[in-house]
Amino acid sequence: MIKPTFNPRYKHAKSGIFKPQHPEKYKGYGQIIFKSFLEAKMMYYLDNDPKCVAWWAEPFSIKYFDKSTNRWRQYYIDFVAEMMNGTSKVKYWIETKTVGETQKPTGGRNTMALLENTKTYVKNLCKWNAAQKIAKQHGAKFLVITEEFFKKKSF
């Protein structure tokens, strides 16, 4: 199996347009826009991994209840990917986040920053719980992928 390396063209990008090397794999519409370095890295990975047979970027939204604001909200799944696992296809719903955004915030000197980080963490948990439940109903697996994933490069 080929283990793709990351295209350095996106190394310092915060947002931009992704140009796939294998456009036949991408099943979405229009330009492929990334909003973070991790999204660009995931796009590159999906585009170049031979086990990936199809992928979409932000294909649909999920309604969830945000406990940090007590409001219903919608969020778009970052990616959907169909990966070969032996002779069968497995569908993954993928969210990309930095490791820091996946961990519960701890105390610090700046209480306003701690409050905002806690709100973000609670919002993320609400999104992920809703996505996991809906993905399971659709026969898919929900994953939160951080920069650590790219060290091992495998689902």
Side-chain angles (χ1 to χ4, degrees):
M1 177 171 124
I2 299 169
K3 294 285 187 181
T5 55
F6 183 63
N7 187 335
R9 161 174 63 164
Y10 302 111
K11 189 169 186 176
H12 300 289
K14 293 186 183 206
S15 65
I17 297 170
F18 181 79
K19 305 280 188 205
Q21 294 175 330
H22 305 282
E24 69 281 359
K25 286 185 176 185
Y26 184 69
K27 305 301 179 187
Y29 301 100
Q31 291 183 324
I32 310 168
I33 298 171
F34 60 89
K35 297 182 208 132
S36 71
F37 170 68
L38 274 177
E39 284 186 11
K41 202 166 185 174
M42 191 73 221
M43 290 174 181
Y44 187 83
Y45 177 83
L46 294 172
D47 187 45
N48 288 284
D49 188 336
K51 291 192 297 186
C52 180
V53 293
W55 65 281
W56 298 256
E58 293 192 345
F60 52 84
S61 65
I62 290 182
K63 190 173 184 178
Y64 72 99
F65 187 76
D66 181 357
K67 292 179 182 178
S68 71
T69 60
N70 288 323
R71 299 176 78 178
W72 283 97
R73 298 191 178 275
Q74 300 230 82
Y75 101 98
Y76 284 84
I77 293 286
D78 287 339
F79 302 98
V80 171
E82 285 183 358
M83 307 292 287
M84 291 304 296
N85 185 2
T87 58
S88 62
K89 286 184 192 175
V90 179
K91 191 171 273 193
Y92 293 97
W93 292 8
I94 302 166
E95 179 71 12
T96 53
K97 289 288 181 202
T98 61
V99 170
E101 290 180 286
T102 64
Q103 298 172 348
K104 185 177 181 180
T106 57
R109 292 170 37 174
N110 186 342
T111 56
M112 286 303 289
L114 178 60
L115 178 63
E116 286 304 311
N117 291 341
T118 301
K119 279 178 140 179
T120 299
Y121 178 72
V122 168
K123 182 191 299 187
N124 284 338
L125 288 179
C126 293
K127 288 179 187 180
W128 301 339
N129 287 336
Q132 189 169 32
K133 187 182 294 182
I134 296 168
K136 189 175 183 180
Q137 292 170 356
H138 289 271
K141 295 180 181 184
F142 178 73
L143 300 175
V144 176
I145 289 184
T146 67
E147 57 272 23
E148 298 298 316
F149 169 83
F150 297 101
K151 292 178 183 174
K152 62 178 182 157
K153 296 181 180 170
S154 180
F155 281 93

